[in-house]
Amino acid sequence: MLEGDKIKVAQGENPCYLLLNQANRHGLIAGASGTGKTVTMKVLAEGFAQAGVPVFMADVKGDVTGMAQPGDDTEKVRERAAALGAAGWEPRGCDVRLWDMLGGDGVPVRITISDMGPDLLARLLGLTDVQRGVLAIAFRMADDNGMLLIDLKDLRAMLGYLSEHASEVEALYGRVSSQSVGAIQRALLTLEDAGGDIFFGEPALDITDWLVTDDAGQGTVNILNAAKLMASPQVYAMFLLWMLSEIYELLPEAGDLPKPKLVFFFDEAHLLFDDMPKELTDKIVQTVKLIRSKGVGVYFVSQSPADIPDEVLAQLSNRIQHGLRAYTPAEQKAVRAAAAAFRENPAFDSAEALLELGTGEALVSLLNEDGQPSIVERARVLPPECRMAAADAATLEAIGVAQAHLVEKYGEAIDRESAYEKLAAEKSAAAEADALAAERAQLEKERAEFEKQKAAEADRAAKAAAKEEERVAKAAEREAERAQKAAEKEAERAARAAEKQREQAMKTVSSVIGQIGRETSRQLLRGLFGNLRK
């Protein structure tokens, strides 16, 4: 609970206060399951909210929503609060907003592929240097050609374009192998199966929507529904790292402030670091180091400090360590390492205490006014003023009404024209051009065939005409021959007839002459004989 410019977290032999002006030095809440980490996180978060500091929290188990509802006002809780010196304890909730990355209840959280950037995306996908270079070419080509990379289908389309036009791309940007493109596509498929197809898109989250206070000046508690995300650790880690990077880019340098501008609580922090490449771990270390100067506090929540890389752990100055279990040599070593991280208290042995702590107890070491870790205290954590369990249905409904303006802003996904649509249009235009060219080629082919056929028909017609002409000439020649023969025959017949007629005439003449001769002879004889008679 808030007391002036500090948050009372726990009470041991001495009270344990988290100073607001030291809260951006980051922190750690660790402990085995069931030791009270979530309660401690709620105590800190509501203290920040009461101080007017916006908070972001991941709700892994589904019970963080209880921060929106006043806690149970029971005699037992009041007795604990009084025993721990929290005289002003009163049940009250916080101004809560619920967010969701995988399409569940809450305001949708989306970011674009361009926002993620090639470096961060390549590291999270576990790409090799060569594959990372190909991914960078895809982003560069998209920028150079005015193509937005909004969701996974945009990136896939761009990668497909690179593969199909590898020779052209190589001349401008460098070599792109089909094997590298295939490997990236497979990694994207895994990411999509983990919920990346819902997470990447528009409208993209504007983190300034988290940097708000309510009408009473209290910071808004932004709760991310992370229950499903535990099955998609890759998306969860990607989002958390993007948030840190985005906040770092967004906020100006602030130096040391009386209180943080924003505080993050990353529950199940081991998911952020499991199997993480060293380059990505270095990126987180760098961001955690630098983001402090932006007035942002980061608090990792995990079962053991061993879950967090030493380079990151070294940046976490405010520590609340709940009980640990040590049944194996490795776990016993982890207990000793956790105990050694505290500034020793001569009143007890920290390693033994870590094995003895009950639920709601912790070893606490927070920075003092001089920025030094305080001597570790074995203390009992205060009860939160909000509800321990998840919020009831009526409270969740009220949250939905209160965040209606955010649902209106982010609720409906937008799929505007981006790389996928432009490349699809280009491909369609190219296909249409190819179809048109093919149609023209077909027409030209048909025209050529028609001309060929026409020429062949003309040739056949000419040949037929020539043949007909030859036939007619031959027929005329034959007719002439027949006419000539007929004429000759007729002439011969006429000659024979004339000869026959002449012969007949001759015969007639001869006959006439003969007749005349005979008559003359008779007349002569008659005359002769007549003269004789006389």
Side-chain angles (χ1 to χ4, degrees):
M1 59 180 291
L2 183 66
E3 294 184 5
D5 59 354
K6 55 192 177 184
I7 301 171
K8 186 167 186 181
V9 181
Q11 178 70 45
E13 184 178 346
N14 298 296
C16 301
Y17 290 104
L18 176 61
L19 305 182
L20 291 176
N21 63 358
Q22 300 294 331
N24 63 339
R25 264 65 174 179
H26 313 315
L28 171 70
I29 302 172
S33 296
T35 56
K37 296 189 302 296
T38 302
V39 170
T40 301
M41 184 170 63
K42 287 184 176 182
V43 170
L44 287 175
E46 69 182 10
F48 283 121
Q50 291 165 11
V53 178
V55 174
F56 170 86
M57 310 174 70
D59 187 3
V60 175
K61 298 186 289 292
D63 55 356
V64 180
T65 56
M67 292 201 66
Q69 192 171 345
D72 297 328
D73 191 5
T74 65
E75 183 178 350
K76 183 178 179 180
V77 174
R78 282 196 173 273
E79 286 178 357
R80 181 180 176 91
L84 298 180
W89 186 93
E90 288 294 337
R92 53 178 165 172
C94 299
D95 182 28
V96 167
R97 297 291 179 268
L98 299 179
W99 302 80
D100 194 283
M101 293 171 55
L102 299 180
D105 296 332
V107 180
V109 174
R110 306 182 190 89
I111 66 172
T112 67
I113 292 289
S114 294
D115 287 339
M116 181 63 68
D119 291 336
L120 183 56
L121 187 58
R123 287 167 178 161
L124 290 167
L125 291 175
L127 304 183
T128 65
D129 290 341
V130 173
Q131 294 161 2
R132 189 178 305 170
V134 172
L135 187 64
I137 290 175
F139 274 77
R140 179 63 182 273
M141 276 200 67
D143 287 341
D144 291 348
N145 292 278
M147 296 183 185
L148 298 175
L149 296 178
I150 294 175
D151 49 27
L152 288 178
K153 72 177 185 299
D154 289 326
L155 184 53
R156 275 212 204 85
M158 184 57 67
L159 290 168
Y161 181 87
L162 292 184
S163 182
E164 293 170 5
H165 300 80
S167 58
E168 304 168 32
V169 172
E170 183 175 355
L172 294 174
Y173 301 97
R175 187 170 181 273
V176 174
S177 70
S178 59
Q179 292 86 351
S180 294
V181 171
I184 299 172
Q185 295 280 33
R186 289 191 294 274
L188 291 176
L189 183 62
T190 301
L191 179 60
E192 182 179 16
D193 291 341
D197 56 331
I198 301 173
F199 175 52
F200 286 110
E202 284 187 324
L205 173 66
D206 180 0
I207 289 187
T208 57
D209 283 330
W210 290 351
L211 301 173
V212 296
T213 57
D214 62 13
D215 295 337
Q218 295 201 1
T220 297
V221 177
N222 298 278
I223 298 176
L224 177 70
N225 180 5
K228 293 181 181 178
L229 277 175
M230 294 306 97
S232 308
Q234 187 181 24
V235 177
Y236 181 57
M238 181 168 50
F239 175 64
L240 297 185
L241 189 52
W242 170 81
M243 274 198 310
L244 288 177
S245 301
E246 185 72 4
I247 283 289
Y248 177 74
E249 295 294 334
L250 178 68
L251 296 181
E253 290 289 328
D256 292 326
L257 298 174
K259 62 182 180 182
K261 292 182 179 179
L262 179 66
V263 172
F264 286 101
F265 289 92
F266 290 162
D267 201 358
E268 298 295 337
H270 67 91
L271 294 176
L272 190 59
F273 301 105
D274 282 351
D275 301 322
M276 182 173 288
K278 185 179 184 304
E279 289 183 352
L280 194 51
T281 302
D282 293 342
K283 174 72 173 177
I284 295 176
V285 172
Q286 180 187 28
T287 304
V288 170
K289 284 181 178 179
L290 298 177
I291 205 170
R292 180 193 66 78
S293 63
K294 305 283 187 169
V296 177
V298 180
Y299 288 74
F300 293 94
V301 184
S302 192
Q303 292 193 8
S304 171
D307 296 334
I308 299 173
D310 290 341
E311 298 91 338
V312 178
L313 204 58
Q315 304 300 316
L316 310 182
S317 301
N318 296 297
R319 299 195 177 196
I320 302 173
Q321 176 68 62
H322 288 272
L324 293 174
R325 306 292 177 256
Y327 301 110
T328 67
E331 290 173 338
Q332 292 167 5
K333 182 179 178 180
V335 169
R336 290 193 297 270
F342 291 109
R343 186 176 170 188
E344 187 178 354
N345 188 329
F348 60 89
D349 183 282
S350 297
E352 291 181 4
L354 284 176
L355 299 176
E356 298 169 355
L357 293 174
T359 301
E361 283 190 292
L363 296 187
V364 181
S365 177
L366 307 171
L367 296 180
N368 60 25
E369 286 286 358
D370 297 324
Q372 301 170 329
S374 64
I375 294 174
V376 64
E377 291 280 347
R378 179 171 180 171
R380 297 168 66 198
V381 177
L382 271 63
E385 295 177 312
C386 63
R387 190 177 186 185
M388 296 275 193
D392 58 27
T395 302
L396 293 176
E397 184 177 352
I399 293 174
V401 173
Q403 62 189 23
H405 63 292
L406 294 173
V407 174
E408 183 177 355
K409 180 177 180 178
Y410 295 108
E412 196 68 31
I414 299 172
D415 189 11
R416 59 181 170 133
E417 186 182 64
S418 49
Y420 173 82
E421 287 76 16
K422 285 192 175 184
L423 290 174
E426 286 184 9
K427 185 175 284 189
S428 177
E432 187 175 345
D434 290 344
L436 183 60
E439 186 177 351
R440 287 176 178 171
Q442 182 65 25
L443 287 174
E444 290 297 328
K445 183 179 179 181
E446 291 177 358
R447 183 178 296 151
E449 289 179 354
F450 175 75
E451 292 295 335
K452 183 178 179 181
Q453 183 178 359
K454 186 177 179 182
E457 289 179 357
D459 185 56
R460 285 195 297 271
K463 288 181 178 179
K467 191 173 182 180
E468 179 65 18
E469 185 178 349
E470 183 180 1
R471 185 190 66 76
V472 170
K474 287 182 178 179
E477 186 177 352
R478 287 195 298 272
E479 186 64 27
E481 289 178 356
R482 282 196 299 271
Q484 184 177 359
K485 287 180 179 179
E488 290 176 352
K489 191 174 182 181
E490 181 63 24
E492 184 180 355
R493 185 189 64 76
R496 284 197 301 271
E499 180 65 23
K500 188 176 180 180
Q501 189 176 6
R502 187 179 65 76
E503 290 177 355
Q504 186 66 31
M506 289 297 294
K507 285 180 179 182
T508 301
V509 169
S510 297
S511 176
V512 170
I513 293 174
Q515 185 68 28
I516 293 174
R518 284 192 303 271
E519 191 63 35
T520 302
S521 295
R522 279 196 299 269
Q523 289 177 358
L524 286 174
L525 287 176
R526 226 184 268 121
L528 180 58
F529 285 123
N531 292 327
L532 289 175
R533 278 186 206 113
K534 296 174 172 181

